[in-house]
Amino acid sequence: RLEPIMVRGDSGIYIIGGVSNWADVNGNGWLVENTMEIYKDGNFTQVSIPFSTFDGHAVALNGKIIVAGGLKYWKWYQGAADVVGETNIWIYDEATMVWTSRPSLDDRFYSSAVSDGNIAIFAGGLSMSTTPSSILDGFSVSDAYEIYDSQTDSWTTGNLSPGGARAKISACHCNGYFVFAGGSIDHHVGSPKINIYNSQTDTWTSQNMAGGTRAMEDCAVAGDKILFAGGIQHNLTYHHGGIFPYARIEVFDSQTQTFSVNTLVR
């Protein structure tokens, strides 16, 4: 499958959705899976799930898998892609094996998702207030965020700082800081915005990337640092791929809450 959502939970590794055929299947566009595979004790088990999506994000915390979906429909249409996003946030209880859902703020998809094991934050994305009639009708970037507290099983919502609206944000957590970096604000137009949530003080700050704009593809924690590596300017007309691959690494130091810039070897 192409671009499934993968996450490690308490009871196994979960592989959710994905595109299993990217031809125009029976005139209905790409075949997006409504299945989930669970890897546990050396074995895979496949089950059906109540939604289909690919290219989204998921987090695991205290026995729950929470999925912020990507697309659920993609079909080539008159020089661009006709797409529909999965705008619900889906919640899987590992103990009961039951899915529930809640509408996302702004009816958005392509949100980032990050957790410290106790709380999870879902930020940004593309809003879809109505199903597009053709190509890109009904889409705009969102600055909304949702915070789920697993200790109280409660949700709070808010908005990122001015200029924070964007999709395809790269997000990571380190030493109490939730860092949301880069993203896309338009077709082949990246964002320089960085939003940082301090879970110890329940406060947000913002700054701009030192190395310029882009939607970053990957981030990882190493010691007291987060490395945001590579990325592109996303293609929001096709909702897939993009141009100008980058070799930059933005390095966030959680001790000083500052960024420095490095470069990938390749």
Side-chain angles (χ1 to χ4, degrees), residues 155-203:
W155 293 80
T156 57
T157 62
N159 298 90
L160 301 172
S161 61
R166 60 208 194 272
K168 303 289 267 183
I169 305 170
S170 186
C172 214
H173 168 267
C174 182
N175 292 338
Y177 295 96
F178 293 74
V179 184
F180 301 85
S184 293
I185 59 175
D186 205 344
H187 173 55
H188 285 159
V189 181
S191 169
K193 185 63 69 175
I194 297 166
N195 298 97
I196 302 171
Y197 175 72
N198 185 336
S199 61
Q200 301 167 44
T201 61
D202 189 26
T203 56

Side-chain angles (χ1 to χ4, degrees), residues 3-251:
E3 295 180 356
I5 301 167
M6 299 182 66
V7 64
R8 179 178 179 173
D10 292 340
S11 62
I13 296 172
Y14 295 84
I15 306 166
I16 300 165
V19 175
S20 57
N21 190 330
W22 59 359
D24 187 3
V25 180
N26 298 321
N28 294 315
W30 289 359
L31 180 58
V32 183
E33 287 291 320
N34 64 338
T35 58
M36 174 172 72
E37 291 195 42
I38 306 168
Y39 180 75
K40 182 179 180 180
D41 298 330
N43 297 301
F44 283 95
T45 302
Q46 180 172 289
V47 297
S48 295
I49 59 177
F51 64 99
S52 58
T53 193
F54 73 100
D55 194 20
H57 293 97
V59 293
L61 64 170
N62 291 332
K64 288 184 171 61
I65 306 296
I66 306 182
V67 178
L71 299 178
K72 63 181 179 181
Y73 178 81
W74 193 103
K75 183 179 179 181
W76 188 251
Y77 180 86
Q78 294 183 358
D82 190 5
V83 304
V84 179
E86 175 49 67
T87 60
N88 281 331
I89 293 175
W90 287 90
I91 305 154
Y92 179 73
D93 189 305
E94 294 186 76
T96 64
M97 297 183 287
V98 172
W99 286 94
T100 56
S101 66
R102 57 177 280 127
S104 61
L105 199 63
D106 282 354
D107 288 324
R108 69 194 198 281
F109 61 101
Y110 277 162
S111 294
S112 62
V114 63
S115 173
D116 65 356
N118 288 311
I119 68 170
I121 305 180
F122 306 87
L126 286 175
S127 296
M128 192 174 72
S129 57
T130 58
T131 300
S133 58
S134 64
I135 313 178
L136 296 178
D137 295 350
F139 294 111
S140 60
V141 290
S142 171
D143 63 1
Y145 68 79
E146 284 132 323
I147 301 178
Y148 173 72
D149 188 328
S150 66
Q151 304 297 317
T152 60
D153 192 27
S154 61
W155 293 80
T156 57
T157 62
N159 298 90
L160 301 172
S161 61
R166 60 208 194 272
K168 303 289 267 183
I169 305 170
S170 186
C172 214
H173 168 267
C174 182
N175 292 338
Y177 295 96
F178 293 74
V179 184
F180 301 85
S184 293
I185 59 175
D186 205 344
H187 173 55
H188 285 159
V189 181
S191 169
K193 185 63 69 175
I194 297 166
N195 298 97
I196 302 171
Y197 175 72
N198 185 336
S199 61
Q200 301 167 44
T201 61
D202 189 26
T203 56
W204 288 87
T205 58
S206 65
Q207 55 182 282
N208 287 332
M209 286 190 290
T213 68
R214 69 194 190 279
M216 284 165 292
E217 293 298 289
D218 252 322
C219 54
V221 175
D224 293 324
K225 294 180 172 62
I226 302 173
L227 283 71
F228 296 89
I232 56 175
Q233 303 289 4
H234 270 283
N235 187 325
L236 291 184
T237 298
Y238 300 167
H239 284 257
H240 201 265
I243 60 174
F244 306 131
Y246 292 99
R248 291 197 306 268
I249 308 169
E250 309 274 340
V251 183

